[in-house]
Amino acid sequence: MSESELVYAWLGEAPVPYEEGWELQRRLHERRVADQIPDTVIMLEHEPVYTAGKRTGKADRPLTDPGAPVVDIDRGGKITWHGPGQLTVYPIVRLSDPIDVIAYVRMLEEAIIRTIAEFGLSGERVEGRTGVWLDADPARGLTERKIAAIGCRIARGVGMHGFALNCDNDLSWFDRIVPCGITDAGVTSLSRELGRDVGAADVLPLVERHLADVLGARAHSRVEGVPELPGLPELIDA
Protein backbone atom coordinates (compact mmCIF):
# COMPACT_ATOMS: atom_id res chain seq x y z
CA MET A 1 0.00 0.00 0.00
CA SER A 2 1.19 3.52 -0.78
CA GLU A 3 0.37 6.46 1.44
CA SER A 4 -2.91 7.47 -0.15
CA GLU A 5 -6.35 8.52 1.01
CA LEU A 6 -8.77 5.75 1.90
CA VAL A 7 -12.48 6.26 1.19
CA TYR A 8 -14.97 4.20 3.21
CA ALA A 9 -18.35 3.57 1.60
CA TRP A 10 -20.80 2.58 4.35
CA LEU A 11 -23.92 1.13 2.72
CA GLY A 12 -26.01 1.43 5.87
CA GLU A 13 -27.66 -1.00 8.28
CA ALA A 14 -30.20 -2.35 5.78
CA PRO A 15 -28.84 -5.76 4.67
CA VAL A 16 -27.55 -5.86 1.09
CA PRO A 17 -28.20 -8.89 -1.18
CA TYR A 18 -24.89 -10.66 -1.81
CA GLU A 19 -25.05 -10.47 -5.61
CA GLU A 20 -25.50 -6.68 -5.44
CA GLY A 21 -22.49 -6.30 -3.16
CA TRP A 22 -20.39 -8.57 -5.36
CA GLU A 23 -21.32 -6.65 -8.50
CA LEU A 24 -20.40 -3.40 -6.77
CA GLN A 25 -17.04 -4.89 -5.83
CA ARG A 26 -16.35 -5.87 -9.42
CA ARG A 27 -17.24 -2.45 -10.78
CA LEU A 28 -15.18 -0.60 -8.19
CA HIS A 29 -12.29 -2.99 -8.80
CA GLU A 30 -12.31 -2.13 -12.51
CA ARG A 31 -12.26 1.59 -11.68
CA ARG A 32 -9.42 1.17 -9.18
CA VAL A 33 -7.33 -0.87 -11.63
CA ALA A 34 -7.78 1.97 -14.13
CA ASP A 35 -6.81 4.56 -11.46
CA GLN A 36 -10.17 6.29 -11.84
CA ILE A 37 -10.89 6.21 -8.09
CA PRO A 38 -8.83 6.17 -4.90
CA ASP A 39 -8.52 3.15 -2.65
CA THR A 40 -12.09 2.45 -1.55
CA VAL A 41 -13.45 0.17 1.17
CA ILE A 42 -17.05 -1.10 0.98
CA MET A 43 -18.57 -1.68 4.42
CA LEU A 44 -21.96 -3.36 4.77
CA GLU A 45 -24.17 -6.03 6.27
CA HIS A 46 -25.43 -8.72 3.90
CA GLU A 47 -28.69 -10.56 3.67
CA PRO A 48 -28.12 -14.16 4.86
CA VAL A 49 -25.85 -15.99 2.40
CA TYR A 50 -23.22 -18.72 2.35
CA THR A 51 -20.19 -17.97 0.18
CA ALA A 52 -17.96 -20.82 -0.94
CA GLY A 53 -14.36 -20.00 -1.81
CA LYS A 54 -12.21 -21.96 -4.24
CA ARG A 55 -11.03 -24.52 -1.67
CA THR A 56 -14.52 -25.49 -0.43
CA GLY A 57 -15.01 -29.25 -0.36
CA LYS A 58 -18.27 -31.16 -0.64
CA ALA A 59 -18.13 -32.11 3.04
CA ASP A 60 -17.94 -28.43 4.04
CA ARG A 61 -21.25 -27.55 2.39
CA PRO A 62 -24.75 -27.81 3.91
CA LEU A 63 -26.23 -31.30 3.71
CA THR A 64 -29.79 -29.95 3.46
CA ASP A 65 -31.38 -26.62 2.51
CA PRO A 66 -29.66 -24.16 4.87
CA GLY A 67 -32.31 -21.45 4.50
CA ALA A 68 -30.01 -19.10 2.56
CA PRO A 69 -28.39 -19.23 -0.89
CA VAL A 70 -24.96 -20.81 -1.35
CA VAL A 71 -22.85 -18.75 -3.78
CA ASP A 72 -19.58 -19.98 -5.27
CA ILE A 73 -17.15 -17.08 -5.55
CA ASP A 74 -13.60 -16.36 -6.70
CA ARG A 75 -11.88 -15.65 -3.39
CA GLY A 76 -9.52 -17.96 -1.56
CA GLY A 77 -10.56 -20.06 1.42
CA LYS A 78 -13.56 -22.27 2.06
CA ILE A 79 -17.22 -21.71 2.95
CA THR A 80 -18.51 -19.15 5.41
CA TRP A 81 -21.70 -17.23 6.20
CA HIS A 82 -22.54 -13.54 5.91
CA GLY A 83 -25.63 -11.81 7.19
CA PRO A 84 -27.27 -9.20 9.42
CA GLY A 85 -25.30 -8.27 12.50
CA GLN A 86 -21.96 -9.02 10.86
CA LEU A 87 -19.76 -6.19 9.58
CA THR A 88 -18.41 -7.22 6.18
CA VAL A 89 -15.52 -5.19 4.80
CA TYR A 90 -14.30 -5.22 1.19
CA PRO A 91 -11.08 -3.23 0.65
CA ILE A 92 -10.73 -2.35 -3.03
CA VAL A 93 -7.15 -1.19 -2.62
CA ARG A 94 -3.98 -1.22 -4.70
CA LEU A 95 -1.15 -3.24 -3.19
CA SER A 96 2.46 -2.17 -3.50
CA ASP A 97 4.92 -4.15 -5.63
CA PRO A 98 6.16 -6.75 -5.05
CA ILE A 99 2.72 -8.00 -3.97
CA ASP A 100 2.81 -10.09 -0.81
CA VAL A 101 -0.63 -11.64 -0.27
CA ILE A 102 0.28 -13.15 3.09
CA ALA A 103 1.51 -9.80 4.38
CA TYR A 104 -1.75 -8.22 3.22
CA VAL A 105 -3.81 -10.84 5.08
CA ARG A 106 -1.73 -10.14 8.19
CA MET A 107 -2.60 -6.45 7.85
CA LEU A 108 -6.31 -7.26 7.79
CA GLU A 109 -5.90 -9.52 10.82
CA GLU A 110 -4.05 -6.76 12.65
CA ALA A 111 -6.83 -4.26 12.00
CA ILE A 112 -9.35 -6.69 13.51
CA ILE A 113 -7.11 -7.50 16.49
CA ARG A 114 -6.72 -3.79 17.26
CA THR A 115 -10.47 -3.22 16.87
CA ILE A 116 -11.60 -5.94 19.27
CA ALA A 117 -8.87 -4.95 21.75
CA GLU A 118 -10.84 -1.76 22.32
CA PHE A 119 -13.58 -3.99 23.75
CA GLY A 120 -11.11 -5.76 26.04
CA LEU A 121 -10.79 -8.89 23.86
CA SER A 122 -7.44 -10.40 22.97
CA GLY A 123 -7.52 -11.56 19.37
CA GLU A 124 -5.01 -14.16 18.25
CA ARG A 125 -3.60 -15.57 15.05
CA VAL A 126 -3.54 -19.35 14.74
CA GLU A 127 -0.80 -20.96 12.67
CA GLY A 128 -2.19 -22.51 9.52
CA ARG A 129 -5.53 -20.72 9.84
CA THR A 130 -6.56 -17.30 8.64
CA GLY A 131 -8.86 -14.98 10.53
CA VAL A 132 -8.85 -13.79 14.13
CA TRP A 133 -9.41 -16.12 17.07
CA LEU A 134 -10.00 -16.09 20.79
CA ASP A 135 -8.08 -18.57 22.91
CA ALA A 136 -9.83 -21.53 24.49
CA ASP A 137 -11.12 -20.91 28.00
CA PRO A 138 -11.53 -24.30 29.71
CA ALA A 139 -12.86 -22.70 32.90
CA ARG A 140 -15.84 -21.44 30.93
CA GLY A 141 -16.10 -24.58 28.81
CA LEU A 142 -15.10 -22.65 25.68
CA THR A 143 -13.00 -24.02 22.83
CA GLU A 144 -10.80 -21.92 20.60
CA ARG A 145 -13.26 -19.83 18.60
CA LYS A 146 -13.23 -17.59 15.55
CA ILE A 147 -14.58 -14.05 15.74
CA ALA A 148 -13.61 -12.83 12.25
CA ALA A 149 -13.11 -14.56 8.90
CA ILE A 150 -10.82 -13.41 6.08
CA GLY A 151 -10.89 -14.34 2.40
CA CYS A 152 -9.19 -12.27 -0.30
CA ARG A 153 -8.44 -12.15 -3.98
CA ILE A 154 -5.79 -9.98 -5.64
CA ALA A 155 -6.32 -9.27 -9.34
CA ARG A 156 -4.18 -6.90 -11.43
CA GLY A 157 -2.62 -5.56 -8.25
CA VAL A 158 -5.91 -4.60 -6.58
CA GLY A 159 -7.63 -6.43 -3.73
CA MET A 160 -11.20 -7.73 -3.60
CA HIS A 161 -13.31 -9.46 -0.92
CA GLY A 162 -11.87 -8.99 2.58
CA PHE A 163 -13.08 -9.82 6.07
CA ALA A 164 -16.19 -10.24 8.19
CA LEU A 165 -16.35 -9.42 11.92
CA ASN A 166 -19.12 -11.06 13.92
CA CYS A 167 -20.89 -8.38 15.96
CA ASP A 168 -24.44 -9.32 17.03
CA ASN A 169 -25.33 -11.87 14.34
CA ASP A 170 -27.20 -15.14 14.86
CA LEU A 171 -24.40 -17.71 15.22
CA SER A 172 -26.71 -20.67 14.57
CA TRP A 173 -26.25 -20.08 10.81
CA PHE A 174 -22.72 -21.50 11.18
CA ASP A 175 -24.11 -24.79 12.52
CA ARG A 176 -25.29 -25.76 9.02
CA ILE A 177 -21.80 -25.77 7.45
CA VAL A 178 -18.20 -26.53 8.38
CA PRO A 179 -17.19 -22.85 8.62
CA CYS A 180 -13.88 -22.21 6.87
CA GLY A 181 -13.34 -25.98 6.82
CA ILE A 182 -12.66 -26.09 10.59
CA THR A 183 -14.23 -28.87 12.65
CA ASP A 184 -12.33 -28.57 15.95
CA ALA A 185 -13.14 -25.01 16.98
CA GLY A 186 -16.14 -22.73 17.45
CA VAL A 187 -17.49 -19.42 16.19
CA THR A 188 -18.28 -16.42 18.35
CA SER A 189 -19.24 -12.74 18.21
CA LEU A 190 -18.50 -9.53 20.07
CA SER A 191 -21.97 -9.61 21.63
CA ARG A 192 -21.62 -13.19 22.86
CA GLU A 193 -18.20 -12.54 24.36
CA LEU A 194 -19.14 -9.25 26.03
CA GLY A 195 -22.63 -10.22 27.20
CA ARG A 196 -24.19 -7.13 25.63
CA ASP A 197 -25.33 -6.03 22.19
CA VAL A 198 -22.58 -4.63 19.98
CA GLY A 199 -23.78 -3.94 16.45
CA ALA A 200 -21.92 -3.37 13.21
CA ALA A 201 -22.49 0.37 13.40
CA ASP A 202 -20.86 0.41 16.84
CA VAL A 203 -17.55 -0.96 15.54
CA LEU A 204 -17.57 0.96 12.26
CA PRO A 205 -15.41 3.95 13.32
CA LEU A 206 -12.92 1.67 15.08
CA VAL A 207 -12.47 -0.55 12.02
CA GLU A 208 -12.06 2.54 9.83
CA ARG A 209 -9.31 3.95 12.01
CA HIS A 210 -7.37 0.75 12.50
CA LEU A 211 -7.65 -0.45 8.91
CA ALA A 212 -6.39 2.92 7.64
CA ASP A 213 -3.45 2.69 10.05
CA VAL A 214 -2.34 -0.80 9.06
CA LEU A 215 -2.70 -0.04 5.33
CA GLY A 216 -0.61 3.10 5.72
CA ALA A 217 -3.27 5.53 4.48
CA ARG A 218 -2.37 9.17 5.08
CA ALA A 219 -6.04 10.06 5.59
CA HIS A 220 -9.48 8.49 5.48
CA SER A 221 -13.06 9.63 5.08
CA ARG A 222 -16.52 8.08 5.02
CA VAL A 223 -19.37 8.47 2.56
CA GLU A 224 -22.88 7.07 3.05
CA GLY A 225 -23.80 4.79 0.18
CA VAL A 226 -21.82 4.39 -3.03
CA PRO A 227 -19.23 7.17 -3.33
CA GLU A 228 -19.99 9.82 -5.91
CA LEU A 229 -16.52 9.78 -7.40
CA PRO A 230 -15.39 10.30 -11.02
CA GLY A 231 -16.57 7.40 -13.13
CA LEU A 232 -18.97 6.08 -10.48
CA PRO A 233 -22.31 7.94 -10.60
CA GLU A 234 -23.93 5.16 -12.63
CA LEU A 235 -23.39 2.76 -9.72
CA ILE A 236 -25.76 4.61 -7.44
CA ASP A 237 -28.76 3.43 -9.44
CA ALA A 238 -27.20 0.22 -10.75
Side-chain angles (χ1 to χ4, degrees):
M1 286 283 300
S2 59
E3 292 188 1
S4 59
E5 181 176 359
L6 202 57
V7 176
Y8 289 101
W10 168 234
L11 301 193
E13 295 185 40
V16 177
Y18 186 78
E19 292 289 353
E20 290 185 15
W22 195 10
E23 177 62 20
L24 178 57
Q25 279 196 75
R26 289 192 289 255
R27 294 191 184 196
L28 288 174
H29 182 271
E30 289 294 323
R31 302 301 197 276
R32 185 66 190 97
V33 167
D35 281 327
Q36 295 174 348
I37 61 171
D39 287 332
T40 302
V41 182
I42 306 168
M43 307 180 79
L44 52 76
E45 297 178 57
H46 273 303
E47 292 183 354
V49 64
Y50 293 96
T51 64
K54 291 185 282 187
R55 295 195 301 112
T56 302
K58 184 177 180 180
D60 302 323
R61 296 173 181 267
L63 296 177
T64 58
D65 182 359
V70 179
V71 181
D72 288 281
I73 59 173
D74 57 356
R75 63 162 169 78
K78 296 191 175 184
I79 193 167
T80 192
W81 173 87
H82 297 303
Q86 181 191 71
L87 179 62
T88 302
V89 179
Y90 298 131
I92 313 299
V93 299
R94 183 177 298 283
L95 276 63
S96 300
D97 288 325
I99 292 173
D100 187 334
V101 177
I102 294 176
Y104 175 60
V105 170
R106 297 292 174 263
M107 289 179 185
L108 300 184
E109 290 172 344
E110 182 63 25
I112 299 163
I113 289 169
R114 293 184 189 183
T115 296
I116 68 173
E118 300 214 25
F119 294 94
L121 298 176
S122 180
E124 304 289 342
R125 296 180 177 91
V126 175
E127 186 175 355
R129 296 175 172 178
T130 59
V132 174
W133 299 77
L134 301 183
D135 281 341
D137 187 346
R140 296 169 59 201
L142 297 174
T143 61
E144 190 176 65
R145 54 219 183 275
K146 193 173 197 175
I147 197 166
I150 295 176
C152 302
R153 178 178 180 231
I154 311 300
R156 290 179 287 172
V158 175
M160 294 181 70
H161 303 291
F163 66 86
L165 174 60
N166 295 332
C167 298
D168 60 353
N169 45 298
D170 179 356
L171 296 174
S172 69
W173 286 99
F174 292 101
D175 296 340
R176 303 163 205 183
I177 58 171
V178 180
C180 303
I182 295 163
T183 59
D184 58 349
V187 181
T188 192
S189 67
L190 287 170
S191 295
R192 172 170 288 186
E193 295 296 324
L194 299 172
R196 59 184 174 88
D197 288 339
V198 180
D202 297 320
V203 303
L204 199 64
L206 304 178
V207 171
E208 289 174 347
R209 174 161 51 87
H210 292 303
L211 184 58
D213 285 346
V214 300
L215 293 179
R218 60 176 173 78
H220 66 273
S221 59
R222 185 198 302 177
V223 297
E224 303 293 326
V226 179
E228 295 189 51
L229 298 169
L232 288 181
E234 72 275 18
L235 297 186
I236 296 172
D237 300 316

